[in-house]
Amino acid sequence: MGDSALRRLITVLMTGLMTGLISVLILLEVPAPAQALSLPWSRGTADREPVTLPAAGPSGRLQEVAAPGAVQQLRRELASHQPRLSLEGPSNDSVLNGETWTLKLRVEDWPAASDPELGLGAHIALQIDGSPPQRFSQVSNGHLQAQLPALSPGSHRLSAYAAYPWGEAVKTPGASLNWRLHQAQALEGTQPEQNAPWLELVSPSELSAGEPLLLDWLIWNAPLQNLRAGDARWRLRLTLNGDSFLMDRQEALWIRGQGSGNQEVQMELLDSLGEPITPVFNNQLRVVSNRRGKRPVWMQSSLSGQQLARLLGQALPEQEPASKPAAIAEPEADPIVAPSSEQTPNAPAVAPQAASPATAATEKVPTENVPTENASTAEPPAQNAPVEDARAAQPDGTDPVPEQPSQEQPATRLIPRAEPPPLAPTSSLGGSARELLNADGTQR
């Protein structure tokens, strides 16, 4: 074999060896098959620990702040209550027919109230398929009954919960419930599975008014978490006007910094790795506008005792004053004796006095025998004027027969006549007959 043949053989062998080595290297670098996506709440089965999506509160333009002072006051007043709701009708999975249906709930230990001036107090809220809440405050003897329009045909999910005056859901055990109803007939696959998680966006709502803004939600069938390190099962991503943050607790937030104008709030339920969970039921968007005008009373820094009582249903509104106390009867005053129509207007009212002996003797003197001087100038007492006129009408000067008092005269005219002032004796005689008498009434 010549040198040229030997070189060709060596070249072929080297080429084959290199090709084999490259093939081995390529085979070693082939990646392992991709792992399947973990189900909700699962931890994964990969060799390496999955990276849990960390929760982080609002940041940047958004800032979590304390609730308004009035909200804190009302929360303290309601902290002693443990509301419980139970469904009385229609029962779960009922099929409805007709143009209306009646919601019946039993409400325990929750002072639902509403004030015409201050607005809603504690109340009950109802949400259907993620729609904005409907609110009820008419609870009678622990029962709520409300007539509602018919649902759209098909299946629906409903939730009811005890709510604070500002719309936040009470999250203590028994304070909320959920069930399914069907209009006409059930439609499979249009609602979450019976035990699957689903999200209810509670706030913002029609009660929202400017800053701070209340963000609140309920997650049904969500497993417990945060009991120990690394037990994360879900996350809630909240996006407010483009700014997002993650929450891992069902606690309401008061947010400042969202700006003016319409507020766009999106809530998405994720698993611990950040993957969406059934987005059709757990990805919700709500747009609310900042209301102008009078702010709700619970947005104040504090409430008076009267305002607190009215929002808790413990006092009547101010425009409905309580019944006035009965007026104390005053003793009746002695009737005032009206002047007789026969008296002159200028006659002074004289109080009745007991007649003295001298006065009694004077009154026994016959009036026709007592002359007076200057009779034309002396003004007789008003009460005697009718008597003297009657005497003048008698030709013989005798006393006229007194007239019987009219039955129409008031009883006050029977009051004893006041003692007349001492005057000179008077007489109805005139002319020469008057000249025959002395000043003391004796005959000359």
Side-chain angles (χ1 to χ4, degrees), residues 89-170:
S91 59
N92 186 40
D93 278 328
S94 294
V95 178
L96 307 179
N97 293 283
E99 297 181 353
T100 61
W101 63 284
T102 302
L103 170 68
K104 297 179 181 180
L105 295 175
R106 179 167 179 79
V107 181
E108 301 178 60
D109 197 19
W110 194 238
S114 179
D115 185 87
E117 293 181 359
L118 304 182
L120 272 176
H123 60 278
I124 305 299
L126 171 71
Q127 291 189 242
I128 304 174
D129 294 333
S131 61
Q134 303 179 54
R135 307 186 188 278
F136 307 93
S137 59
Q138 299 80 18
V139 177
S140 177
N141 298 323
H143 297 273
L144 185 153
Q145 183 169 321
Q147 191 173 42
L148 301 172
L151 303 172
S152 59
S155 300
H156 303 272
R157 63 190 186 278
L158 298 88
S159 59
Y161 50 87
Y164 293 104
W166 52 95
E168 179 184 345
V170 180

Side-chain angles (χ1 to χ4, degrees), residues 18-32:
M18 294 298 296
T19 302
L21 290 175
I22 293 174
S23 299
V24 171
L25 292 176
I26 293 175
L27 290 174
L28 293 177
E29 293 295 327
V30 171

Side-chain angles (χ1 to χ4, degrees), residues 321-329:
S323 58
K324 297 181 180 179
I328 301 176

Side-chain angles (χ1 to χ4, degrees), residues 171-236:
K171 299 180 181 65
T172 56
S176 57
L177 56 89
N178 73 89
W179 72 104
R180 310 289 176 94
L181 291 178
H182 314 282
Q183 185 72 28
Q185 69 176 43
L187 289 182
E188 297 296 332
T190 59
Q191 295 297 327
E193 297 296 331
Q194 193 65 34
N195 296 320
W198 55 280
L199 170 69
E200 192 77 86
L201 198 163
V202 173
S203 183
S205 66
E206 83 287 357
L207 298 179
S208 303
E211 292 186 335
L213 180 67
L214 173 66
L215 300 181
D216 191 27
W217 59 92
L218 290 171
I219 301 177
W220 298 102
N221 302 324
L224 296 176
Q225 61 180 9
N226 299 321
L227 300 178
R228 56 184 176 82
D231 67 346
R233 301 294 186 87
W234 58 268
R235 294 288 183 264
L236 183 69

Side-chain angles (χ1 to χ4, degrees), residues 235-275:
R235 294 288 183 264
L236 183 69
R237 180 160 56 203
L238 296 97
T239 304
L240 177 57
N241 296 336
D243 293 328
S244 299
F245 57 95
L246 292 170
M247 294 294 298
D248 60 355
R249 301 177 185 275
Q250 295 202 62
E251 297 177 358
L253 300 174
W254 292 88
I255 302 296
R256 186 183 300 277
Q258 70 269 20
S260 59
N262 292 343
Q263 308 299 321
E264 298 179 2
V265 177
Q266 182 181 6
M267 295 186 183
E268 302 171 83
L269 185 60
L270 314 174
D271 64 14
S272 60
L273 302 179
E275 297 295 330

